[in-house]
């Protein structure tokens, strides 16, 4: 195959490219330039967007003996990932820019361009597995289903941030590191091949927030918007400089004038950019066990078929839900609810539905805009914010993913689940 | 929203690997059958005689500034080269100041003349340049504006990339007394438009303003006569004429005062300190002499190939627009014999470069890169193109080693390459948000 290896300049993508070469593919390395003014992005060996990273990628490609190009995707990156990041915070939600980058840049702009130029697949250094499984379809034909699974490397598993790409894009994706159980193994592979990036530190922070100061970055773009911090009774307990800078579950940096009556620490429970208020309260109110998501992407049509999915929605089906890149997956159940009946799912009813569920941004062919997903978990999760992704697993297999629009505590859970929630 | 899949599908063959299981499509040839190097404007192969001369001189020890026999020998090589280069470029030997290349010579001309002229008269703060200069001119000019109080005046160009002399006339009529210098390139490196240097020097000299010209791209394809041009300073470099990378010169009239950029041993009449690279200068001399001897024959060949390639592209690639002077029109003599420059509607330059490269054709978008990212060309924007059109730029530049086979090679792949790049362009320019 003709394979485009996306090379960030880091060790993972360099080894992924090497493995693609050794698998016998015709490989071309491409580094994505995501900022025209590269000094705006992190420098040093921290991210994937500095000039140093571009030259690290170039050196790795040289060592592998493959052609290397830089593609300028900065405009698209600004229009999608950065703009979405700012808009989501402005709307009081908590975006995951790495998810948006996979959705719009790596597995959309880059992949589409690669396909158009005659490549058969894009290889990246992500930790996740692609498994092909033959199934019999309704007409008795054998079809190959492509499944997305967790990496055996729990610490590095990236299936959470990849699920957004959907099954069609997955057909053209290769993750050569999918089977590696540890990062040390990958570093050893890099060293064995003389790739100088073998000791490069991992990148963690948001690449376009140059100094790691997300709040400062947002303030630069959105300005100062002073407002009030309220407790759950509506009492003013402090002030803030812009509700957009607060995230559900946040405890630090609240600078509240009055201590809570019970002396317990208070957390951000919600952000209303409409009223420009931040609501704070005790830890236990952060716990939710019912999550509603939109823009669902499904990888497991067989599981949906088992749940009798029709235009009227589906039955409940068992899943494990995960709301953070490296968070735990909590057992529970999910169902598909058509948009027409979805108002009933929203904790605050019609108003919240209108506010949260009518966005169709960056619609891709895999996303479902006709229904919402309702998820109930057996034990509660803390600090679930709108805008986060919820990824549904069954074992190691990704069933689907959605973007959180609402969450609350649901009374229909079993008693044992509820008592677990209270004690948590 | 749901494809028909039977309930509880039986688990079939499970392949548990990270590798993709997509069946290979028909493989396109991994190694291109032929390589055609058509980026001579970036750098051109060294002349075989220059390589020999280079190696020969590298075997000999000697710093041209040393007073002993070895030093004298090296000095003699340098001075002989200085004399021959002076003959080739129509100047006096003492007007040749060797530098590390074109960029340094351009920086020396801009900064050296600006500082000296301003020191002599503090009101001389204006620097006049054209909108289509190389970054080796644009960036030092910008640095002088940012750091040293220079006022930058940028002359516009017409749709063919020809500098507007009327604008210069008006500017000088109003501000000659405040002007430190003028710098206009002899021939543009992207679209190959040859500038009216004599008109510019005639205008400038009415007002006593010195003129510099970056002649780096012109030197390989035109006969340059510094004295006849009326220029006060001119940049040339070795590696565009078959010499090595890393050596060039600023040719400057003795009357022109230059504040040095590099201070040290006082070489090159105290203007450019640094040990003189005798081997590189010797190799440059050999290459330049070789080119000068064969210039007419080479440019005739280039021009023939250039016109074949232009005609071929216009005939077989839809929506291709030739940029620069029309080689079939009355101003044909104002186009360098070596430059073929097109924009292809709906294509991105980087897609064109990748696809051509994978088919063995080495060309360029023509514009400056930052870490390998093609930027929309300031030259094309100055010629009035919009940014989207400017992104579809592709430059083929010919040289001494170019042949008809190179042109045939390009024509055998270009129509398909453009078609494919257009599809890729559509894939990435579609708006992300509805």
């Amino acid at each position: 195959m003709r394979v485009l290896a996306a090379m960030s300049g880091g060790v993972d993508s360099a080894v992924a490219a090497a493995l693609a070469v050794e698998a016998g593919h015709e490989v071309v390395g491409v580094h994505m330039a995501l900022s025209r003014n590269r000094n705006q992005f992190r420098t040093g060996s921290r991210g994937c967007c500095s000039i140093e990273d571009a030259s690290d990628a170039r050196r790795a490609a040289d060592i592998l003996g493959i052609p290397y190009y830089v593609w300028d995707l900065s405009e698209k990156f600004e229009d999608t990932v950065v703009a979405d990041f700012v808009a989501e915070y402005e709307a009081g939600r908590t975006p995951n820019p790495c998810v948006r980058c996979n959705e719009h840049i790596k597995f959309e702009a880059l992949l589409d361009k690669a396909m158009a130029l005659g490549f058969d697949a894009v290889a990246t250094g992500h930790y996740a597995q692609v498994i092909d499984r033959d199934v019999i379809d309704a007409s008795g034909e054998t079809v190959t289903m492509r499944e997305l699974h967790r990496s055996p490397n729990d610490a590095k598993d990236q299936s959470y941030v990849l699920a957004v790409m959907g099954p069609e894009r997955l057909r053209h994706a290769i993750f050569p590191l999918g089977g590696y159980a540890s990062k040390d193994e990958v570093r050893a592979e890099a060293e064995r091949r003389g790739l100088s990036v073998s000791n490069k530190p991992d990148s963690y922070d948001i690449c376009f927030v140059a100094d790691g100061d997300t709040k400062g970055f947002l303030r630069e773009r959105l300005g100062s918007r002073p407002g009030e911090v309220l407790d759950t009774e509506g009492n003013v307990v402090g002030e803030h400089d812009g509700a957009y800078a607060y995230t559900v579950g946040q405890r630090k940096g609240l600078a509240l004038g009055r201590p809570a009556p019970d002396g317990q620490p208070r957390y951000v429970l919600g952000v209303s950019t409409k009223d420009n208020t931040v609501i704070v309260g005790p830890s236990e109110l952060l716990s939710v066990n019912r999550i509603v998501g939109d823009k669902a992407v499904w990888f497991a049509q067989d599981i949906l078929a088992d749940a009798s999915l029709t235009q009227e929605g589906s039955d409940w089906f068992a899943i494990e839900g995960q709301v953070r890149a490296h968070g735990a997956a909590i057992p529970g159940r999910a169902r598909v609810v058509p948009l027409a009946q979805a108002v009933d799912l929203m904790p605050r009813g019609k108003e919240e539905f209108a506010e949260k569920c009518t966005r169709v941004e960056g619609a891709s062919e895999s996303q479902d805009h006709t229904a919402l997903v309702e998820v109930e978990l057996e034990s509660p999760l803390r600090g679930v914010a709108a805008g986060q992704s919820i990824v549904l697993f069954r074992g190691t297999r990704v069933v689907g993913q959605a973007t959180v629009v609402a969450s609350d505590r649901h009374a229909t859970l079993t008693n044992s689940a509820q008592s677990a929630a209270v004690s948590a | 929203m749901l494809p028909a899949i039977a309930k509880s599908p039986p688990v079939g063959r499970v392949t548990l690997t990270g590798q993709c299981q997509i069946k290979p499509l028909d493989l396109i040839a991994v190694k291109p059958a032929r390589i055609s190097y058509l980026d001579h404007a970036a750098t051109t192969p060294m002349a075989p005689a220059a390589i020999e001369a280079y190696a020969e001189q590298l075997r000999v020890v000697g710093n041209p500034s040393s007073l002993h026999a070895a030093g004298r020998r090296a000095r003699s090589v340098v001075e002989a080269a200085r004399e021959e280069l002076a003959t080739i470029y129509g100047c006096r030997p003492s007007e040749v100041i060797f530098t590390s290349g074109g960029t340094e010579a351009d920086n020396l001309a801009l900064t050296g003349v600006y500082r000296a002229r301003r020191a002599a008269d503090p009101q001389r703060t204006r620097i006049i340049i054209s909108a289509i200069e190389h970054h080796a001119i644009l960036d030092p000019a910008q640095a002088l504006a940012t750091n040293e109080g220079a006022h930058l005046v940028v002359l516009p160009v017409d749709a063919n990339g020809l500098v507007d002399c009327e604008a210069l006339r008006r500017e000088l009529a109003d501000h000659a007394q405040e002007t430190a210098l003028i710098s206009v390139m002899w021939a543009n490196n992207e679209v190959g438009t040859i500038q009216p240097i004599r008109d510019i020097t005639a205008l400038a000299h009415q007002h006593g303003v010195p003129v510099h010209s970056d002649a780096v791209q012109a030197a390989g394809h035109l006969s340059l006569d510094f004295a006849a041009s009326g220029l006060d300073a001119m940049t040339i470099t070795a590696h565009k004429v078959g010499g090595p990378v890393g050596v060039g010169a600023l040719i400057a009239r003795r009357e022109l005062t230059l504040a040095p950029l590099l201070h040290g041993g006082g070489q090159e009449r105290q203007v450019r300190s640094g040990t003189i690279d005798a081997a590189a200068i010797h190799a440059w001399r050999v290459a330049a002499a070789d080119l000068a001897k064969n210039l007419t024959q080479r440019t005739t060949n280039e021009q023939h190939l250039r016109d074949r390639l232009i005609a071929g592209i216009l005939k077989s690639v839809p929506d291709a627009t030739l940029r620069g002077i029309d080689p079939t029109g009355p101003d044909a003599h104002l186009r360098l014999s070596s430059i073929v420059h097109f924009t292809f509607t709906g294509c991105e330059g980087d897609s064109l470069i990748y696809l051509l490269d994978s088919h063995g054709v080495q060309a360029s978008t023509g514009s400056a890169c930052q870490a390998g990212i093609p930027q929309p060309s300031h030259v094309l924007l100055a010629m009035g193109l919009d940014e989207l059109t400017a992104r579809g730029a592709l430059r083929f530049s010919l040289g001494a080693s170019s042949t008809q086979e190179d042109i045939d090679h390009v024509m055998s792949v270009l129509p398909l390459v453009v078609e494919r790049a257009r599809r890729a362009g559509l894939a990435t320019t579609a708006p992300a948000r509805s």
Side-chain angles (χ1 to χ4, degrees):
Chain A
M1 287 197 298
R2 285 160 74 85
V3 173
L4 183 151
M7 299 181 75
S8 68
V11 59
D12 292 330
S13 58
V15 172
L19 294 171
V21 171
E22 285 156 27
H25 300 305
E26 184 196 340
V27 181
V28 170
V30 168
H31 178 79
M32 294 183 289
L34 300 179
S35 169
R36 280 263 168 94
N37 177 3
R38 316 201 97 205
N39 294 331
Q40 281 174 355
F41 282 17
R42 290 184 160 275
T43 53
S45 302
R46 296 282 317 185
C48 56
C49 309
S50 68
I51 289 175
E52 289 89 335
D53 293 312
S55 48
D56 286 346
R58 180 188 298 277
R59 275 305 291 148
D62 287 348
I63 290 164
L64 299 177
I66 59 173
Y68 168 88
Y69 304 89
V70 177
W71 285 0
D72 178 7
L73 296 175
S74 58
E75 215 165 290
K76 182 100 176 178
F77 187 78
E78 175 68 36
D79 286 355
T80 54
V81 180
V82 181
D84 174 87
F85 183 79
V86 174
E88 286 286 281
Y89 270 112
E90 189 176 19
R93 293 185 286 262
T94 303
N96 183 329
C98 300
V99 170
R100 294 285 90 81
C101 183
N102 283 333
E103 179 181 3
H104 295 300
I105 304 297
K106 293 192 188 115
F107 299 103
E108 188 178 274
L110 181 75
L111 191 138
D112 285 353
K113 185 166 175 173
M115 293 299 127
L117 290 176
F119 288 95
D120 303 304
V122 166
T124 68
H126 284 111
Y127 288 79
Q129 300 197 80
V130 174
I131 297 174
D132 283 343
R133 198 157 60 100
D134 289 346
V135 297
I136 312 295
D137 73 6
S139 57
E141 295 282 305
T142 301
V143 295
T144 302
M145 283 211 332
R146 171 150 294 198
E147 301 179 354
L148 179 62
H149 284 254
R150 284 190 191 278
S151 157
N153 179 349
D154 283 342
K156 296 295 294 181
D157 172 48
Q158 289 172 306
S159 48
Y160 175 85
V161 290
L162 290 171
V164 71
M165 83 168 82
E168 288 312 309
R169 301 306 171 111
L170 190 62
R171 294 204 169 273
H172 302 289
I174 307 180
F175 309 125
L177 304 186
Y180 279 78
S182 82
K183 178 93 179 196
D184 288 343
E185 254 181 85
V186 173
R187 288 194 189 282
E189 293 286 353
E191 208 153 316
R192 204 162 62 73
R193 290 168 177 81
L195 294 166
S196 57
V197 290
S198 62
N199 290 317
K200 220 174 152 178
D202 286 5
S203 55
Y204 290 105
D205 301 305
I206 298 166
C207 65
F208 54 86
V209 179
D211 47 8
D213 176 13
T214 301
K215 209 168 168 175
F217 176 85
L218 292 171
R219 178 155 308 140
E220 218 169 86
R221 299 240 178 175
L222 297 173
S224 175
R225 298 181 191 176
E228 290 169 339
V229 179
L230 309 176
D231 66 14
T232 47
E233 260 100 65
N235 302 311
V236 178
V237 293
E239 287 168 359
H240 66 76
D241 211 19
Y244 56 78
Y246 295 83
T247 297
V248 171
Q250 178 180 341
R251 179 185 164 188
K252 286 184 184 157
L254 289 179
L256 300 179
R258 264 191 327 157
D262 58 0
Q264 292 300 305
R266 284 175 296 194
Y267 296 80
V268 174
L269 299 178
V271 175
S272 167
T273 48
K274 203 171 115 235
D275 313 326
N276 195 28
T277 53
V278 174
I279 319 286
V280 299
S283 157
E284 57 265 25
L285 291 184
L286 275 178
S287 298
V288 297
N289 52 21
R290 195 179 70 98
I291 296 167
V292 181
D294 71 349
K295 294 190 282 189
V297 170
W298 297 110
F299 285 87
Q301 296 297 347
D302 53 333
I303 291 174
L304 294 178
D306 280 348
S308 310
L309 179 65
T310 65
Q311 300 301 325
E312 270 70 58
S314 77
D315 302 335
W316 289 100
F317 51 95
I319 48 85
E320 299 98 46
Q322 181 177 334
V323 296
R324 268 183 257 284
H326 299 288
I330 311 292
R333 59 182 194 165
R335 65 181 180 126
V336 178
V337 181
L339 218 49
Q341 300 157 33
V343 179
D344 303 337
L345 297 181
M346 305 305 284
R348 288 193 287 118
K350 246 187 186 141
E351 185 197 343
E352 188 167 27
F353 178 76
E355 189 184 329
K356 307 276 192 184
C357 299
T358 50
R359 298 171 300 122
V360 184
E361 292 164 10
S364 85
E365 72 273 22
S366 297
Q367 283 178 359
D368 182 358
H369 293 273
T370 65
L372 297 189
V373 185
E374 182 179 19
V375 179
E376 288 182 359
L377 301 173
E378 287 174 13
S379 56
L381 282 164
R382 278 167 45 101
V384 177
Q388 281 176 280
S389 295
I390 177 163
V391 178
L392 309 178
F393 291 89
R394 191 174 276 184
T396 62
R397 182 183 178 193
V398 173
V399 176
Q401 88 120 37
T403 304
V404 174
V405 292
S407 62
D408 65 355
R409 310 204 46 180
H410 202 279
T412 63
L413 282 189
T414 60
N415 286 337
S416 65
Q418 257 185 340
S419 57
V422 171
S423 65
Chain B
M1 73 201 257
L2 183 64
I5 290 181
K7 282 195 162 197
S8 302
V11 176
R13 173 174 52 83
V14 176
T15 42
L16 195 97
T17 81
Q19 299 292 322
C20 185
Q21 301 293 317
I22 300 173
K23 291 199 176 65
L25 300 175
D26 297 333
L27 278 184
I28 302 169
V30 177
K31 293 263 179 272
R34 182 191 158 81
I35 300 292
S36 293
Y37 182 78
L38 291 168
D39 199 12
H40 292 267
T43 196
T44 197
M46 271 183 79
I51 296 172
E52 269 174 46
Y54 203 4
E56 185 190 330
Q57 191 58 35
L58 285 171
R59 290 195 192 92
V60 185
V61 71
N63 182 331
S65 300
S66 297
L67 302 177
H68 46 58
R72 286 196 301 277
R73 214 164 32 233
R75 167 64 68 176
S76 159
V77 165
V78 170
E79 296 311 319
R82 198 189 302 276
E83 285 165 15
E84 182 149 17
L85 289 167
T87 307
I88 291 167
Y89 295 113
C91 63
R92 293 199 298 266
S94 61
E95 292 174 328
V96 178
I97 303 164
F98 288 116
T99 67
S100 64
T103 295
E104 189 196 329
D106 281 346
N107 273 264
L108 175 59
L110 271 260
T111 309
V113 173
Y114 175 78
R115 286 183 183 161
R117 295 258 303 158
R118 201 185 162 188
D121 181 349
Q123 66 165 337
R124 289 177 188 149
T125 57
R126 295 172 90 86
I127 297 175
I128 304 175
I129 60 174
S130 83
I132 55 162
E133 294 301 307
H134 190 273
H135 275 281
I137 293 290
L138 292 179
D139 291 16
Q142 190 55 56
L144 290 170
T146 309
N147 305 321
E148 300 185 33
H151 181 92
L152 220 55
V153 178
V154 179
L155 299 175
V157 297
D158 69 9
N160 289 329
L162 210 55
V163 169
D164 183 349
C165 285
E166 258 322 295
L168 177 62
R169 188 192 307 278
R170 285 194 301 273
E171 167 65 19
L172 287 173
D174 295 342
H175 298 290
Q177 294 308 309
E178 303 127 68
T179 303
L181 81 154
I182 300 165
S183 182
V184 174
M185 68 200 328
W186 198 305
N188 180 261
N189 52 307
E190 293 185 31
V191 294
T193 303
I194 299 166
Q195 303 302 329
I197 294 298
R198 283 202 203 205
D199 295 348
I200 291 166
T201 56
L203 267 173
H205 290 166
Q206 289 169 19
H207 300 277
V209 176
V211 183
H212 164 260
S213 181
D214 177 339
V216 161
Q217 285 298 336
H221 315 279
L222 293 175
S223 177
L224 303 182
D225 188 333
F226 179 71
S229 71
L231 285 169
D232 299 274
M234 178 172 95
T235 294
I236 47 176
T237 196
H239 78 107
K240 312 280 192 192
V241 298
V245 175
V247 65
L250 183 68
I251 296 175
R253 280 157 46 84
R254 295 303 301 263
E255 295 80 356
L256 185 71
T257 311
L258 287 162
L261 298 186
L262 302 184
H263 303 270
Q267 290 89 344
E268 297 303 278
R269 54 167 153 123
Q270 302 281 347
V271 171
R272 201 277 185 182
S273 289
T275 300
I276 299 170
D277 188 346
I281 288 167
H282 181 53
W284 180 12
R285 167 205 177 169
V286 170
D290 182 50
L291 178 65
K293 201 170 66 196
N294 301 303
L295 188 65
T296 313
Q297 177 217 322
R298 287 205 194 160
T299 52
T300 307
N301 177 52
E302 279 173 9
Q303 197 169 314
H304 173 71
L305 296 176
R306 177 195 75 184
D307 295 344
R308 294 281 290 266
L309 182 53
I310 289 173
I313 293 172
L314 287 173
K315 184 165 164 244
S316 58
V317 183
D319 291 325
T321 310
L322 179 73
R323 300 298 170 183
I325 301 277
D326 179 359
T328 62
D331 292 331
H333 60 287
L334 296 181
R335 185 180 190 104
L336 278 185
S337 53
S338 53
I339 302 285
V340 175
H341 187 293
F342 276 89
T343 56
F344 298 94
T345 314
C347 295
E348 295 262 3
D350 58 6
S351 297
L352 293 168
I353 297 301
Y354 157 68
L355 290 165
L356 286 172
D357 194 9
S358 68
H359 288 94
V361 175
Q362 297 167 351
S364 165
T365 59
S367 59
C369 292
Q370 188 199 8
I373 316 162
Q375 311 279 312
S377 152
H378 66 279
V379 174
L380 297 181
L381 299 181
M383 287 162 62
L385 275 68
D386 60 71
E387 205 172 294
L388 205 63
T389 309
R391 279 193 209 169
L394 185 63
R395 178 192 70 186
F396 301 100
S397 52
L398 307 162
S401 57
S402 299
T403 62
Q404 180 62 43
E405 285 71 33
D406 293 330
I407 307 305
D408 295 343
H409 184 194
V410 172
M411 290 318 305
S412 72
V413 299
L414 189 64
L416 279 170
V417 161
V418 170
E419 191 194 320
R420 185 149 250 183
R422 280 211 173 104
R423 263 187 279 153
L426 286 176
T428 48
T429 51
R433 283 157 181 267
S434 44

